[in-house]
Amino acid sequence: MNSRERLIKTINHQETDQIVTDLGSTLVTGISASALAKLRKHLGLKDEWVKVHEPFQLLGYVEEDLRRRLSIDVVGVSGPVTMFGYKNEGWKQWKMPDGTNVLVGKEFNTTIDEKGNTLIYPQGDTSVEPSGKLPKEGFYFDGLVRQKEIIPEKLNGKKDYGDDFKIMNDDDLRYIEEQINHYYYNTDYGINLGNFVAGLGDFAPLTGPGLKETRGIRDVEEWLIAHYLYPNYIHEIFDYQTEIALKNLQLLKEATGKKAQIIQISGTDFGTQQCEIMSPDTFREFYKPYYTKLNKWVHENTEWKTFYHCCGSVVKLLDDFVDMGIDILNPVQCSAKGMEAQFLKDNYGDKFVFWGGGVDTQHTLPFGTPDEVSKEVTNRLEIFSKGGGFVFNPIHNIQGPTPVENIVAMFDAVQAFNKK
């Protein structure tokens, strides 16, 4: 059974010869460029500077030699434009705050402020306000709010977010088509498509990091309050975003045919460590109808399975996720309240494919011993693998300071489990 066959069986809740493993097929299943550089060196792979393909989180591009070394089964295919609005091309050298030398796109332009923070600019244009800040000793960028004074009677959802959501152009579609054709015809990897075509209310892009100028409500706190103060405004934005997303889904279908197995729909977080960010009623009013519409289109028009990333404790929303038609749930944050692995598998194992949950990236992976990492990985594999429907990945991206010995212990544990 090859990787693609293995993935197809897994996402259809069938057991396979071994556990499907992911590293880097999405913006939420990857690895910090800093950690990746250390891992490559530790494994004795070719000495080369890691490419930062996702600058917001400073994620490193997982190259073919590492995929082979770690027995990775899935690759991601997406457009060339980053969250800061520039393309990954014309690579140049840059030094991360921890001293790691990496490659970044030619329009990755930064300055240092008086406190030693690194500021990054939308589309590489240093003549406008910076849209992101990397703290002096931080590990990834924070979006900077450039919201102007809000005049309620002038709020216009479609106008304010007209530059955020656009129909894909021919160049980006051809870029995706070339990528997917390469992987489909020259490899046996499973293919994960998208980079989230409709993350309604996603906090990361909310501030408009790729836009030179932002309009409307861009502050996260004010955005959440707007659900109650300006409900029509939120609906205007989601109506427009969904309209654009449906057109892009059609274009992606035309460009890629039946080559991909998965489409990434949303990366919006609806949970905190302890509970949901909003009430179930609020979620059902503002989000559920749009996601239901998107999933329905996918299921009626393609063979794709829908991939949703949602951090935190979302126990009270899981049945709504089922109703909406979510196929794949990520990152499976078992460390959040009520999200224990056995509970999820027992109650939702036949409803969702769990993509993640393999080890805790808040505690065990960065701060445990290699033996503790190995034991937790094995335990999660034993719980989630039964009956199929599980893709191994840690809970969210591997962070920069994570000990390389722990990363190796994690993948070694997966490979040992697969040999049983």
Side-chain angles (χ1 to χ4, degrees), residues 208-337:
L211 302 178
K212 295 184 181 182
E213 182 180 1
T214 61
R215 295 185 296 270
I217 297 176
R218 299 288 174 165
D219 178 87
V220 171
E221 183 176 344
E222 292 190 30
W223 168 263
L224 290 172
I225 293 173
H227 288 66
Y228 298 92
L229 294 181
Y230 318 115
N232 290 337
Y233 180 68
I234 303 296
H235 280 297
E236 285 175 358
I237 294 170
F238 290 170
D239 281 335
Y240 177 64
Q241 186 176 5
T242 302
E243 174 190 339
I244 298 298
L246 289 170
K247 291 178 180 178
N248 283 333
L249 287 168
Q250 178 64 44
L251 291 172
L252 286 169
K253 177 188 174 183
E254 293 170 0
T256 64
K258 297 182 179 181
K259 301 181 184 78
Q261 291 74 57
I262 298 153
I263 183 72
Q264 299 166 39
I265 299 292
S266 173
T268 306
D269 294 329
F270 292 104
T272 69
Q273 197 73 32
Q274 297 296 321
C275 64
E276 294 74 17
I277 287 175
M278 61 187 64
S279 73
D281 286 342
T282 299
F283 178 82
R284 290 163 192 155
E285 177 183 351
F286 291 97
Y287 296 86
K288 186 174 180 178
Y290 300 101
Y291 282 138
T292 300
K293 187 174 184 179
L294 290 163
N295 290 330
K296 182 180 179 181
W297 188 95
V298 170
H299 294 144
E300 289 182 349
N301 292 278
T302 76
E303 296 178 5
W304 297 331
K305 299 296 184 182
T306 57
F307 180 107
Y308 278 71
H309 168 85
C310 179
C311 286
S313 174
V314 287
V315 181
K316 295 178 182 177
L317 300 180
L318 291 175
D319 289 334
D320 293 292
F321 290 178
V322 174
D323 292 342
M324 285 157 41
I326 290 179
D327 297 309
I328 301 168
L329 189 62
N330 165 272
V332 198
Q333 193 178 337
C334 304
S335 58
K337 185 176 181 179

Side-chain angles (χ1 to χ4, degrees), residues 6-163:
R6 193 173 294 129
L7 178 65
I8 290 171
K9 280 187 171 292
T10 295
I11 60 179
N12 284 285
H13 295 270
Q14 300 172 26
E15 291 190 346
T16 61
D17 58 334
Q18 61 186 52
I19 302 300
V20 173
T21 304
D22 176 32
L23 180 67
S25 79
T26 78
L27 303 184
V28 289
T29 60
I31 179 170
S32 158
S34 176
L36 181 54
K38 290 183 292 185
L39 179 60
R40 291 187 59 85
K41 182 177 180 180
H42 181 89
L43 295 175
L45 298 178
K46 184 179 179 181
D47 185 15
E48 57 185 26
W49 287 16
V50 169
K51 292 179 178 177
V52 175
H53 72 100
E54 202 291 274
F56 200 88
Q57 302 172 91
L58 293 175
L59 298 182
Y61 179 72
V62 178
E63 301 281 0
E64 178 66 13
D65 57 352
L66 183 60
R67 290 194 200 106
R68 294 297 180 188
R69 172 63 177 80
L70 300 178
S71 299
I72 302 303
D73 295 289
V74 193
V75 292
V77 172
S78 61
V81 180
T82 69
M83 285 189 64
F84 287 109
Y86 69 83
K87 290 185 177 182
N88 278 324
E89 60 184 15
W91 300 95
K92 63 183 181 181
Q93 299 176 1
W94 186 66
K95 188 183 291 291
M96 297 177 66
D98 67 357
T100 303
N101 292 312
V102 295
L103 297 175
V104 295
K106 66 180 180 180
E107 292 180 333
F108 177 99
N109 291 329
T110 60
T111 59
I112 306 297
D113 69 12
E114 68 280 359
K115 296 181 179 179
N117 303 312
T118 300
L119 305 178
I120 190 169
Y121 296 81
Q123 303 171 43
D125 188 348
T126 56
S127 70
V128 300
E129 288 184 87
S131 58
K133 180 180 73 174
L134 172 64
K136 184 178 180 179
E137 298 180 355
F139 306 116
Y140 36 78
F141 283 92
D142 298 319
L144 291 177
V145 177
R146 294 166 291 153
Q147 176 178 297
K148 298 175 176 58
E149 180 184 3
I150 297 301
I151 302 174
E153 56 270 22
K154 291 187 177 181
L155 288 173
N156 183 309
K158 185 173 182 178
K159 181 179 178 181
D160 290 348
Y161 281 79
D163 291 333

